Amino acid sequence: GAGVSQTPSNKVTEKGKYVELRCDPISGHTALYWYRQSLGQGPEFLIYFQGTGAADDSGLPNDRFFAVRPEGSVSTLKIQRTERGDSAVYLCASSPTGPNEKLFFGSGTQLSVL
Amino acid sequence: GESVGLHLPTLSVQEGDNSIINCAYSNSASDYFIWYKQESGKGPQFIIDIRSNMDKRQGQRVTVLLNKTVKHLSLQIAATQPGDSAVYFCAENRGPAAGNKLTFGGGTRVLVKP
């Protein structure tokens, strides 16, 4: 599979718990993005990595959300003290060099906070 | 391209007819536009893109038209097929001043009737 891979595909957790969502981008893509999609809406930007560094994290809703990409490939989105309002599909995308080109999306992780 | 919450605009089209999906954008600095198709349970899939120095671009059965004067983008699908049933999103890159992020509209659901 040469596409963007996200695991798990579904995650159910309880309010207050910590979760990690993983993204494997397309090999060789230096840019990686996290978006969040609520039911019936378009994806909303969370954070963008260029290599290992977060080039733009202006979409993270609060300090409970954090993302890393330590080796410039796989990325993990971390959510602390989850709330019911965090329930959504979390989408990861990658692109070859940067944001002014098409993004390739994974299938997302459906997060449900009970 | 405004979000309409849970009630996506819906376009019902007869199989074999042409479809036209419209999107308005507000930022005159936007210089790159993409149409994505999203099927249930999947991530957005790239259809076609266009840069602001063009007003028309054609792909296989799809055409994107860009009218910068009225800030309007449309996607035309020729000879619509059942497999075209999905939610379609327009996305714009609002340029360096807005962080070069890809920003999505609210989506249009296309239902193809056999």
Side-chain angles (χ1 to χ4, degrees), chain B residues 1 21-25 35 71-75 89-92 105-106:
Chain B
I21 307 164
N22 295 303
C23 181
Y25 65 96
W35 280 100
K71 299 189 186 68
H72 183 268
L73 190 71
S74 68
L75 177 71
F89 293 98
C90 63
E92 61 180 305

Side-chain angles (χ1 to χ4, degrees), chain A residues 3-53:
Chain A
V4 176
S5 175
Q6 292 188 247
T7 55
S9 55
N10 282 282
K11 176 69 177 179
V12 180
T13 191
E14 295 179 343
K15 180 176 177 295
K17 298 291 189 182
Y18 168 82
V19 295
E20 290 189 352
L21 312 179
R22 176 187 168 107
C23 173
D24 278 273
I26 293 172
S27 178
H29 282 193
T30 62
L32 183 146
Y33 315 79
W34 284 98
Y35 280 77
R36 178 168 72 173
Q37 187 174 27
S38 299
L39 187 64
Q41 298 186 9
E44 294 177 296
F45 171 83
L46 295 176
I47 186 170
Y48 151 54
F49 285 90
Q50 186 61 263
T52 60

Side-chain angles (χ1 to χ4, degrees), chain A residues 48-101:
Chain A
Y48 151 54
F49 285 90
Q50 186 61 263
T52 60
D56 186 342
D57 65 357
S58 62
L60 295 177
N62 51 59
D63 61 6
R64 295 187 297 106
F65 288 74
F66 190 71
V68 295
R69 195 186 185 200
E71 297 178 359
S73 178
V74 171
S75 176
T76 305
L77 179 66
K78 308 180 181 193
I79 311 174
Q80 298 177 321
R81 305 183 303 281
T82 51
E83 299 177 357
R84 292 194 178 89
D86 298 335
S87 297
V89 175
Y90 289 82
L91 293 164
C92 177
S94 69
S95 68
T97 59
N100 209 19
E101 58 191 2

Side-chain angles (χ1 to χ4, degrees), chain A residues 6 33 35 37-48 56 58-59 89 91 93 98-108, chain B residues 3-8 31-32 34 36 38 41-46 49 51 89 93 98-107 109:
Chain A
Q6 292 188 247
Y33 315 79
Y35 280 77
Q37 187 174 27
S38 299
L39 187 64
Q41 298 186 9
E44 294 177 296
F45 171 83
L46 295 176
I47 186 170
Y48 151 54
D56 186 342
S58 62
V89 175
L91 293 164
N100 209 19
E101 58 191 2
K102 64 186 180 188
L103 274 57
F104 297 83
F105 282 86
S107 292
Chain B
S3 170
V4 290
L6 292 176
H7 303 285
L8 285 170
D31 57 4
Y32 178 54
I34 307 179
Y36 280 93
Q38 189 173 28
K42 297 183 179 180
Q45 176 188 359
F46 171 85
D49 58 0
R51 298 200 180 270
F89 293 98
N93 184 312
N100 264 331
K101 295 186 284 288
L102 202 61
T103 302
F104 284 76
R109 186 182 307 279

